[in-house]
Structure formats: C-alpha cells, structure tokens
Amino acid sequence: MIGCGPVGALTANLLGRHGVRTLVVERGTAPHRQPRAFSCDDEALRIYQLAGLRDEVAADMYAPTIVEYVGASARPFATIALDEIDFGLGAEPLHFFDQPILEEALRKGFDRFSHVELRTATELVELTQDADGVTVVLRDVDSGRHTTVRAGYALGCDGARSAIRVEAGIKLVGTSYAEPWLAVTADVPPEAVRVPETQFVCDWRRPGFVSPGAIGTHRFEFMLQDGESVDEMTSPETIDRLAARFVDPARMRVTRAVVYTFHHVVAERWRDGRVFLLGDAAHQMPPFLGQGLCSGLRDAANLTWKLAMVIQGHGSDALLDTYETERRPHTEEMATTSVRLGRVFLVRKRWAAALRDAALRTIQTIPRVRRFVRHFEFKPLPTLRAGFLAGGVRKGPVGVMFPQPFVTVDGSRRLLDDVLGTGFALVGPDVSAQTAATWSGPPATFVRVLKPGASPAGGEVVEVGDPDGLLKAWFDRNRVGMVVLRPDRFVYGTDPGYTAIE
Ligand SMILES: Cc1cc2nc3c(=O)[nH]c(=O)nc-3n(C[C@H](O)[C@H](O)[C@H](O)COP(=O)(O)OP(=O)(O)OC[C@H]3O[C@@H](n4cnc5c(N)ncnc54)[C@H](O)[C@@H]3O)c2cc1C
C-alpha cells in the first residue's frame, strides 16, 4: 500500500482486521501536521468503528449542533439543525476533528497487528505488474537507496498527486476552481469566541466558512478577491481583520494559514489489473459538503473486505471490479451535490445574493422544503445502485446501509456493529440455528433479534435485544425477517441465499 495519510492509515487498519498481510509505504517521517480535512460524518465514524478504532478517534472530536448559512447581513437564511437529525447509523451526523490527532490514532492502530508493517521515509518510484502480482521499486528518502518489493496487489492511497496513478497510466478527468481560498486554523479559548455557531458565510463580497473545531481550535476559510496576494492574505493583520467578527483576534493563536485552490476531478479508472486507487488519488471534490476525506474512507470500507475475500479464497477476481461499480456513482453524487452547494454559497453579485437569501427564506415557509434543508435531506444517502448484491442491483432494502441502533447482549447495551464482527452477518428475527447450518457463503456471524417471549435459537446464533424497537420497526417497514449484511454493513440480500461472483 502506498501512502499513509488518513485514507491509507484507515485502509491498513481494515486490512489488518481482515487478516491481510500489508506493507504500508509512506514518504513522510511523521503523521501530517497540516489540519486539512476538518469534518466527518456518521458514516465515517461507523467505518472507524469497523476498524476497531472508533473510541480512539472520536475521543477528541467535536459534534456541532447547528450549521447556519448567513448572508451579507450576518442573518441566517438557512439552518441545518444537526441536533434534530439521526440518520440511524449510531453517531451524530457531523463531527469536527483535528487531523494530526486522527492520523496519530490511526497509526497507533497498526500496533494491534503483527502482519501490518509501516515503512516511513520511503517512497514509491516505480511499479510494474504481471498476472501474479506487482513489483514496486521503493526509494529510501534519507539514503536514496532503492529496494524492490513484490506483492499481490498495490493500493494507491498516495493522495492528489498519486505516483501510483501516474505509474498505472490513469488520467484524472474534471476541473479545478480558479478562486484561491485562505484556510486558517487557530487556537481560540472559549471566552474569545464571538460566534459559536458553524457558519457558511455567504457574503457576496467575500464568501467564507467559520467554525469552532475539535480541542479548542477554530477554522476560518475565506475566498480571495481579485489581486490579493498570498503574502497579504496570510499576514497576521489580514487574518485578525477577517476573524474579528467571529472571535477576539487578540486572544487567538494562529497555528496554520495557507492559500489553496480546490478541484473537482475523478480518475478515469479506479482499477488497473492489480492496482487500485483510493481517496484523493481516485477523486477530489470541493469541500462544501465536507466529504473529501469521508469519500476516501468509504473507498477503504468497500475495497478492503473484498480484497481479503479474494486473497483468502472466498471470492474471485471479478468481485474486485465491483469496487468501482459501487463507489464511483456515490462519489460523483457527493461531488455534484458539493458543487451545487458551492453555487448557492459562492454567489458574487449583490443583487443575486439578495435574491438567493429572500428566495431561500420564502421557500422554507413550505414545511416539506424547510425539513429538506433543516434535516440535511439533500445529503446523498449511503446506497449502492449496483454491484455485489443479491440480484446485482438495488431493490427494496438490498443495497442500502443497514441501521446501527443499540442492542442488548446478556443485559449490556452495545452498538450493533460491535456484535456483528468484521465479516458477513445474517441478522433478523427469523435467524435460527437452521439459518446458520444452511448458510453457504463466507464465514459469517448469525444474530437473532429477539421478539418478546421468543425461545432461544441455540447453536452458534447470537441473541440480541432491541431495547428501542428500532430493529423491529426496520424489519416491519421492509417486510422481511432477516438480512444478509456485507462486512461494510450494506444489505446484500434479504434471505439466506448467497451467490459468489464468478
Ligand atoms: C483545505 C482543505 C480542507 C478540507 N476539508 C475537508 C473536510 O472538512 N472534510 C473532508 O472529508 N475532507 C476535507 N478535505 C479533503 C481531505 O483533506 C482529503 O480528502 C484527505 O486528506 C485525503 O486523504 P488521502 O489519505 O487520500 O490523501 P493524503 O492526505 O494526501 O495522503 C497521501 C499520503 O501519501 C503519501 N505519498 C504521496 N506520494 C507518495 C509516494 N510516491 N510514496 C510514498 N508515499 C507517498 C503522502 O506523504 C501522504 O502522507 C480538505 C482538503 C483541503 C485541502
């Protein structure tokens, strides 16, 4: 695996959990000190949980309760009420984190596996592949010495300028945005905060994003205007002036100030034989939905168990083709939604901004529209349209992400995924010892959701209580008695049938 940014580090942890021998090659010597990504969602927390690291990474996160879109007058014209939203995945819908702390926790996760090795200060310089595997030439950054490594597969988690993508001859398709942005991270004590809400500042004169973050940090992002230079914008005077509406600049300590431009690009292929691209190496999107990193984490959650199945003899090579089939449409939908939000957010004419603010306020007097905005219903759902699903395509609950409520096991309350393990799982009120005995798929966990008064299933079936009735409601709504869940917690099928891809 090449690259140990957040996506690479998560990927290696997931491969470790699935028992795959993994070498992680990273050019840098220490985790990234640059807090670039700032937010993650409930799906991301679920994926960290799959890697067995949710408590470790969530410990320092901050979950905001509200996101406001404010116009030039600083009055909100739209609000996302995060504290009113529960997408059912076992976590709040939005979290802010500190990237260096996150990366450190992920790297510490490697200590759990003797079969995961991290080699820092080492970079990929060449890659070739044949029918049986890949050969990579690595360069020790300090000594310049070259070594050759042979592996079954190569995963490119090496970021936006991916060397592995270049070596595989894969092009990026898309556009880059012309407008540069100033991104500032600062330490701000609570008493110095003037605006505690997370705000998209849709001011036609200078759009921006401002929010408190994890561990007493604050994030400010402001679009540059024509003619403004990097030196001028990153100067303490400019940052103090721009931040003053939101915090007391005298008590703020800036830890990072950079100017960057963002991109909306996707690799034309995510697989080339035994080479796969994940994270920024495969796709980059504008940050208005905070989904850049989250999309990379989803890539890792999708590909790693498939790779493990193929390596461990439970699946054929064709299973690996479903990685791009499943992930590309969702990523493109996220990117498109992010671009659309940007269009609303980045209006640069006074009259157009006034019209937007008024139109959005008016249209939200319709309760359905207000709910659509307030409850973040414009965020694309975690759903697979086609791929490794019973029947091949989405149908009913097949292809949706299964909810993650609390369950009880032997009287203790636990999140469902912690009971399901890392592989396939058959879950539902109809799961029985017979289900386990006749299951023909890869190794799985069998979980029966107890109905009041039901007698024990026996055998290897785990019995769980449904204290909040959420599982019962889900099974009733979907009119099924069990589901087959894939290791990434998408619904594969609704009966115990299983068909391997040939
Ligand atoms: C200002 C900004 C704000 C953002 N905000 C958000 C946000 O709020 N939410 C969100 O989800 N995303 C956000 N993103 C996007 C997010 O930062 C990226 O999607 C994420 O960092 C990508 O992670 P990655 O692991 O794929 O790549 P990277 O973080 O770029 O990691 C790639 C790693 O590969 C290593 N590497 C590269 N080449 C080689 C080589 N040849 N050999 C060995 N190692 C190599 C690098 O040293 C690096 O460690 C933001 C991005 C920016 C720029």
Side-chain angles (χ1 to χ4, degrees):
M1 230 189 66
I2 310 302
C4 194
V7 173
L10 189 259
T11 304
N13 274 291
L14 287 170
L15 288 171
R17 288 269 273 187
H18 290 302
V20 176
R21 206 168 138 233
T22 306
L23 170 67
V24 189
V25 173
E26 166 57 45
R27 178 188 281 151
T29 46
H32 223 290
R33 301 311 307 167
Q34 301 266 312
R36 293 183 307 160
F38 179 69
S39 73
C40 71
D41 60 11
D42 44 356
E43 287 173 62
L45 275 212
R46 193 172 192 182
I47 294 170
Y48 291 131
Q49 187 182 349
L50 286 177
L53 293 172
R54 176 173 165 145
D55 291 346
E56 288 77 354
V57 302
D60 294 305
M61 287 187 183
Y62 162 68
T65 54
I66 198 168
V67 175
E68 291 179 338
Y69 291 78
V70 301
S73 66
R75 231 167 35 96
F77 60 81
T79 299
I80 303 177
L82 296 163
D83 53 354
E84 293 173 12
I85 302 168
D86 181 359
F87 288 126
L89 303 180
E92 290 93 344
L94 186 66
H95 300 260
F96 295 143
F97 60 87
D98 177 74
Q99 189 165 350
I101 292 182
L102 171 80
E103 288 196 37
E104 213 156 309
L106 291 174
R107 286 192 184 192
K108 207 151 179 286
F110 299 167
D111 297 346
R112 299 172 297 167
F113 313 110
S114 57
H115 52 282
V116 175
E117 181 195 339
L118 171 62
R119 212 175 282 177
T120 54
T122 308
E123 64 178 357
L124 169 114
V125 288
E126 199 183 308
L127 179 143
T128 49
Q129 58 174 314
D130 52 54
D132 303 319
V134 296
T135 304
V136 291
V137 179
L138 304 176
R139 192 178 79 90
D140 184 293
V141 172
D142 298 322
S143 68
R145 205 166 56 87
H146 286 76
T147 47
T148 301
V149 171
R150 182 90 181 142
Y153 297 90
L155 306 191
C157 303
D158 49 348
R161 296 203 190 110
S162 171
I164 218 167
R165 190 179 63 226
V166 174
E167 286 293 300
I170 301 174
K171 289 198 183 71
L172 279 181
V173 182
T175 49
S176 291
Y177 285 67
E179 309 88 357
W181 282 70
L182 167 71
V184 177
T185 307
D187 294 331
V188 181
E191 62 280 8
V193 175
R194 292 177 175 156
V195 176
E197 291 83 18
T198 298
Q199 288 192 340
F200 281 93
V201 184
C202 309
D203 184 340
W204 59 275
R205 291 163 300 191
R206 187 186 296 282
F209 167 82
V210 179
S211 179
I215 55 161
T217 62
H218 230 81
R219 173 67 69 101
F220 306 89
E221 298 193 7
F222 294 105
M223 192 195 257
L224 269 64
Q225 289 166 344
D226 287 348
E228 286 176 333
S229 71
V230 172
D231 286 348
E232 179 189 350
M233 288 306 285
T234 52
S235 72
E237 298 75 34
T238 306
I239 293 172
D240 285 2
R241 179 168 51 79
L242 293 174
R245 192 173 116 199
F246 307 94
V247 302
D248 175 0
R251 283 181 287 174
M252 157 178 94
R253 191 177 69 86
V254 173
T255 52
R256 174 182 180 249
V258 293
V259 170
Y260 73 102
T261 47
F262 39 79
H263 313 279
H264 177 199
V265 288
V266 186
E268 57 183 2
R269 282 172 290 128
W270 297 17
R271 175 181 190 185
D272 181 64
R274 290 176 167 267
V275 176
F276 295 85
L277 302 179
L278 298 87
D280 274 19
H283 45 73
Q284 296 145 49
M285 63 182 77
F288 306 123
L289 207 54
Q291 285 290 326
L293 173 59
C294 297
S295 299
L297 302 180
R298 289 189 194 96
D299 298 344
N302 186 293
L303 179 62
T304 47
W305 63 268
K306 293 175 180 172
L307 213 45
M309 272 182 59
V310 173
I311 291 168
Q312 291 157 6
H314 298 297
S316 72
D317 180 77
L319 178 62
L320 301 176
D321 284 334
T322 65
Y323 164 58
E324 183 173 345
T325 313
E326 292 179 356
R327 286 290 309 127
R328 182 187 277 278
H330 187 264
T331 305
E332 288 181 345
E333 207 182 339
M334 278 295 178
T336 307
T337 308
S338 191
V339 169
R340 282 199 193 117
L341 265 185
R343 284 201 196 111
V344 175
F345 174 38
L346 302 180
V347 169
R348 301 304 311 281
K349 292 200 167 58
R350 185 184 198 151
W351 65 266
L355 198 66
R356 171 201 60 199
D357 298 4
L360 276 164
R361 278 199 191 99
T362 308
I363 196 169
Q364 286 177 87
T365 55
I366 303 167
R368 183 69 200 92
V369 177
R370 183 177 149 84
R371 203 163 64 238
F372 181 76
V373 174
R374 195 170 170 82
H375 290 171
F376 205 7
E377 290 178 15
F378 53 87
K379 182 185 173 196
L381 291 171
T383 305
L384 305 174
R385 289 183 211 153
F388 184 55
L389 306 169
V393 290
R394 181 174 173 201
K395 193 168 177 217
V398 171
V400 306
M401 183 174 269
F402 195 65
Q404 182 182 213
F406 278 99
V407 294
T408 50
V409 185
D410 297 330
S412 69
R413 202 172 149 89
R414 297 167 67 183
L415 277 168
L416 175 67
D417 287 5
D418 292 338
V419 180
L420 300 185
T422 55
F424 274 77
L426 284 79
V427 182
D430 291 356
V431 171
S432 64
Q434 172 76 3
T435 318
T438 53
W439 167 246
S440 63
T445 305
F446 302 90
V447 176
R448 185 152 80 129
V449 181
L450 281 175
K451 289 183 193 154
S455 50
E460 54 179 305
V461 177
V462 180
E463 318 236 288
V464 300
D466 178 22
D468 307 315
L470 297 172
L471 287 174
K472 179 180 182 320
W474 191 92
F475 283 105
D476 287 352
R477 195 168 56 250
N478 288 288
R479 296 173 190 205
V480 292
M482 76 169 73
V483 284
V484 179
L485 299 185
R486 311 181 340 164
D488 55 8
R489 303 310 166 220
F490 282 90
V491 177
Y492 166 81
T494 54
D495 63 47
Y498 178 84
T499 313
I501 292 185
E502 295 307 328

